[in-house]
């Protein structure tokens, strides 16, 4: 699909299957004319003669006059529509047969079936929204919690764009001062801004970009889930713990060592926070090539996680801890570590009959483990019996510590935005260094222009290629 091909008229089913009502969207220069060819109002004028923002009741007819369905047609005229083009929305009964019949009639009249995201793409190309707002549409559709909904809604309403607009204005002011100095460099008596003022403006810009970059860790966690790696020896009960947390048989559980040979991921919501649990292959010495690959992936996932659940068989805790401590602990620096003594139900009854004796057992195990990090949390539970899970869940929520967001909070959750902001931050750092070292204005101006360019990438001001835009919109659903 050529993303600049906006002169044809497109149509698509915009609602999910199975509902009582189905909607077909039509957009393009001939949207109203082509809809009129298959639609007959019950009374009054054809659509082409009606006012915008009106609903018209009537019938969809075949060329032979057969009634396909009774429908309502919404009418929008350019530029006051979602896409900025003439548009109609045909609300039919939700039968897949009816919807397909209407689609076929529209295509026979000259419509083209829309590609994924083509309506939002046209809205962007017609100036109805910038690129960051367009991307927020997909995030809004995919939102699964109040926090992700607020993030997407704020971005779609232009909160992020306004923040960037302020930044760009400051950058343009700074750039204009620098380039004016270059234009009049032969007049030493003229001074448009002293260096301290330029440095102050650059510092303000750097602080805002730095803050936006820092919000990505929160935004990414809210959007994709806080990554929690479940690691440990084979048969320690990692898969059993995953199944217990998700309350479903997500992973195969067996007494045979090495059952899990690849990572298994699934998400769940705890306390309004989405967690992405990653069950990994048991870590042990092995000559099995496939199992070795699984263990290598276990370490990769451990490195990517924010929270690590190290599952240890409580019946042989000291042995398992000593065997893996040098492999796991160095990789947990800067992460939240939870050591889970699993299979607590298999400890001697003398140790676990009361809450007091359980505490005593935990204290004994903790003191017996050498080099245990001070900030590590140690819990005892039975994944098989689903005992002690609530304490672990509470600890996960405490470790996540994600802030409550309002619709006015600007949080970066898109990796493309994060990368562009990171490059803009590098550029403004070079500007600050150049000003501090009193480099020539032309060198500093080049870095300023680069910073502006990367901020422009986010909203689409500097994007010109079909390939980049096509890559963004191809992930949208059809009809949006």
């Amino acid at each position: 699909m050529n993303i600049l091909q906006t002169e044809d008229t497109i149509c698509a089913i915009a609602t999910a299957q199975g509902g009582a009502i189905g909607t077909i969207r039509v957009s393009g220069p001939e949207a109203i004319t082509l809809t009129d060819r298959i639609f007959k109002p019950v009374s009054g004028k054809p659509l082409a003669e009606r006012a915008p923002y009106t609903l018209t009741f009537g019938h969809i007819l075949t060329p032979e006059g057969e009634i396909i369905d009774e429908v309502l047609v919404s009418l929008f005229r350019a530029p006051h529509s979602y896409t900025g083009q003439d548009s109609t929305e045909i609300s039919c009964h939700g039968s897949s047969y009816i919807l397909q019949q209407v689609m076929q009639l529209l295509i026979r009249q000259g419509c083209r079936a829309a590609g994924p995201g083509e309506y939002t793409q046209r809205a962007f190309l017609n100036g109805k929204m910038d690129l960051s707002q367009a991307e927020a549409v997909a995030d809004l559709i995919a939102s699964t919690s109040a926090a992700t909904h607020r993030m997407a809604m704020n971005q779609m309403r232009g909160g992020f764009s306004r923040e960037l607009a302020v930044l760009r204005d400051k950058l343009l002011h700074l750039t204009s001062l620098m380039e004016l100095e270059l234009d009049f460099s032969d007049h030493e008596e003229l001074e448009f801004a002293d260096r301290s003022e330029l440095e102050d403006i650059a510092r303000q810009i750097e602080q805002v970009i730095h803050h936006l970059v820092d919000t990505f860790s929160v935004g990414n966690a809210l959007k994709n889930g806080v990554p929690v790696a479940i690691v440990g020896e084979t048969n320690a009960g990692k898969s059993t713990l995953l199944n217990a947390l998700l309350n479903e048989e997500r992973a195969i559980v067996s007494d045979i060592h090495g059952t899990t040979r690849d990572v298994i991921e699934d998400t769940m919501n705890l306390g309004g926070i989405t967690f992405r649990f990653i069950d990994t292959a048991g870590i042990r010495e092995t000559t099995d090539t496939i199992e070795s690959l699984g263990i290598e992936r276990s370490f990769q996932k451990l490195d990517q996680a924010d929270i690590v659940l190290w599952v240890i068989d409580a019946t042989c805790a000291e042995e398992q801890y000593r065997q893996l401590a040098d492999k796991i602990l160095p990789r947990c620096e800067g992460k939240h570590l939870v050591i889970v003594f699993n299979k607590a139900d298999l400890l001697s009854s003398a140790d676990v009959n009361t809450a007091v004796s359980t505490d005593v057992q935990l204290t004994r195990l903790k003191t017996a483990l050498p080099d245990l990090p001070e900030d590590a949390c140690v819990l005892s539970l039975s994944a098989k019996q689903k005992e002690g899970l609530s304490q672990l869940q509470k600890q996960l929520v405490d470790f996540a510590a994600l802030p409550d967001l309002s619709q006015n909070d600007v949080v970066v959750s898109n990796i493309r935005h994060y990368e562009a902001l990171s490059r803009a931050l590098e550029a403004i750092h070079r500007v600050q260094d150049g000003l501090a070292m009193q480099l020539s204005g032309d060198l500093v101006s080049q870095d300023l222009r680069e910073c502006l360019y990367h901020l422009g990438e986010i909203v689409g001001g500097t994007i010109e290629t079909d390939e980049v835009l096509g890559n963004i919109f191809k992930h949208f659903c059809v009809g949006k």
Side-chain angles (χ1 to χ4, degrees):
M1 178 186 68
N2 183 349
I3 66 161
L4 299 178
Q5 186 180 354
T6 59
E7 294 307 311
D8 53 353
T9 299
I10 56 174
C11 61
I13 300 171
T15 47
Q17 290 187 2
I21 302 296
T23 300
I24 292 174
R25 308 181 82 179
V26 187
S27 180
E30 296 187 273
I32 300 172
T33 302
L34 297 183
T35 304
D36 252 337
R37 292 179 185 173
I38 68 168
F39 173 71
K40 182 178 181 180
V42 168
S43 62
K45 299 174 288 187
L47 294 174
E49 300 176 18
R50 292 180 182 261
Y53 314 119
T54 55
L55 283 174
T56 304
F57 175 66
H59 298 103
I60 297 294
L61 302 174
T62 66
E64 294 74 31
E66 179 186 352
I67 295 177
I68 298 297
D69 196 15
E70 293 182 340
V71 303
L72 281 172
V73 177
S74 308
L75 180 64
F76 307 91
R77 294 188 184 276
H80 305 295
S81 71
Y82 180 77
T83 61
Q85 301 175 311
D86 284 349
S87 302
T88 62
E89 292 186 359
I90 305 170
S91 298
C92 316
H93 290 93
S95 159
S96 59
Y97 172 78
I98 291 174
L99 291 168
Q100 290 300 328
Q101 287 296 303
V102 177
M103 283 289 293
Q104 289 176 27
L105 288 172
L106 286 167
I107 290 170
R108 285 176 195 159
Q109 295 301 326
C111 280
R112 171 175 64 79
E118 193 166 358
Y119 293 91
T120 304
Q121 176 184 292
R122 289 188 175 202
F124 164 69
L125 293 172
N126 290 324
K128 302 298 289 185
M129 60 181 70
D130 65 37
L131 195 55
S132 70
Q133 291 174 292
E135 289 169 298
V137 173
D139 289 342
L140 186 65
I141 294 170
S143 61
T144 56
S145 67
T148 53
H149 172 266
R150 290 191 191 103
M151 270 197 313
M153 183 60 72
N154 179 39
Q155 186 174 323
M156 195 175 75
R157 292 170 61 198
F160 186 30
S161 301
R162 286 191 293 274
E163 191 88 11
L164 292 177
V166 173
L167 271 178
R168 285 166 66 88
D169 286 345
K170 288 182 178 180
L171 275 167
L172 286 169
H173 177 60
L174 182 54
T175 303
S176 64
L177 290 175
M178 293 297 301
E179 297 193 355
L180 274 172
E181 287 188 354
L182 287 175
D183 290 340
F184 294 93
S185 58
D186 53 337
H187 297 276
E188 294 183 2
E189 70 279 6
L190 293 177
E191 185 178 81
F192 298 96
D194 59 31
R195 288 281 161 155
S196 62
E197 181 185 352
L198 297 177
E199 289 171 357
D200 183 58
I201 297 172
R203 182 169 58 253
Q204 293 174 29
I205 295 168
E206 188 273 341
Q207 287 173 348
V208 176
I209 298 177
H210 196 283
H211 169 72
L212 290 172
V213 169
D214 285 347
T215 65
F216 178 70
S217 59
V218 172
N220 187 52
L222 288 171
K223 182 177 179 179
N224 300 312
V226 179
V228 181
I230 305 175
V231 301
E233 278 203 28
T234 58
N235 247 24
K238 300 182 299 301
S239 296
T240 304
L241 178 59
L242 175 67
N243 290 342
L245 287 168
L246 299 175
N247 200 28
E248 64 174 285
E249 296 301 311
R250 182 66 177 81
I252 297 173
V253 175
S254 170
D255 291 334
I256 302 171
H257 288 265
T259 305
T260 304
R261 295 191 169 206
D262 202 352
V263 296
I264 299 173
E265 297 191 26
D266 212 334
T267 60
M268 73 173 298
N269 191 288
L270 294 173
I273 300 171
T274 300
F275 290 88
R276 189 172 77 253
F277 292 102
I278 309 160
D279 181 23
T280 64
I283 302 171
R284 65 168 180 167
E285 296 296 330
T286 180
T287 57
D288 187 300
T289 303
I290 302 300
E291 189 177 355
S292 295
L293 289 173
I295 293 171
E296 183 179 334
R297 290 188 181 181
S298 297
F299 286 121
Q300 292 173 359
K301 293 298 180 180
L302 192 159
D303 292 337
Q304 297 167 11
D306 290 342
I307 301 174
V308 178
L309 302 185
W310 180 3
V311 181
I312 296 176
D313 187 335
T315 62
C316 53
E318 294 179 41
E319 177 186 348
Q320 288 197 358
Y321 181 88
R322 292 175 187 276
Q323 286 177 345
L324 294 183
D326 62 334
K327 295 183 176 67
I328 292 178
L329 293 181
R331 296 174 180 266
C332 292
E333 291 184 11
K335 306 178 187 296
H336 295 294
L337 172 62
V338 183
I339 294 180
V340 179
F341 291 125
N342 189 29
K343 305 184 183 181
D345 54 312
L346 299 182
L347 295 173
S348 63
S349 59
D351 286 326
V352 295
N353 270 340
T354 67
V356 174
S357 60
T358 302
D359 291 340
V360 170
Q361 178 73 354
L362 268 175
T363 301
R364 184 184 67 78
L365 285 172
K366 288 168 68 175
T367 55
L369 303 182
D371 304 320
L372 183 67
E374 290 184 8
D375 56 350
C377 173
V378 182
L379 300 174
S380 178
L381 55 78
S382 171
K384 185 176 182 180
Q385 302 300 328
K386 297 186 178 181
E387 296 173 354
L389 293 179
S390 59
Q391 187 181 2
L392 173 58
Q393 291 170 344
K394 180 180 182 302
Q395 189 61 61
L396 289 171
V397 172
D398 290 344
F399 275 157
L402 296 179
D404 292 328
L405 299 180
S406 72
Q407 285 192 357
N408 296 320
D409 291 323
V410 176
V411 177
V412 177
S413 61
N414 185 306
I415 185 65
R416 190 183 70 82
H417 301 170
Y418 170 73
E419 290 174 348
L421 284 167
S422 297
R423 290 191 289 267
L425 186 61
E426 291 173 2
I428 200 64
H429 281 158
R430 291 196 297 273
V431 170
Q432 290 178 296
D433 292 341
L435 291 172
M437 293 185 291
Q438 297 188 335
L439 295 180
S440 63
D442 55 342
L443 295 176
V444 177
S445 292
Q446 177 60 37
D447 289 325
L448 281 171
R449 285 192 291 270
E450 186 174 336
C451 187
L452 273 167
Y453 173 82
H454 292 309
L455 293 181
E457 283 184 308
I458 297 173
V459 295
T462 58
I463 291 184
E464 300 172 352
T465 66
D466 287 9
E467 182 181 356
V468 175
L469 288 179
N471 184 59
I472 290 170
F473 287 105
K474 73 180 181 182
H475 298 296
F476 279 57
C477 53
V478 173
K480 198 61 180 179

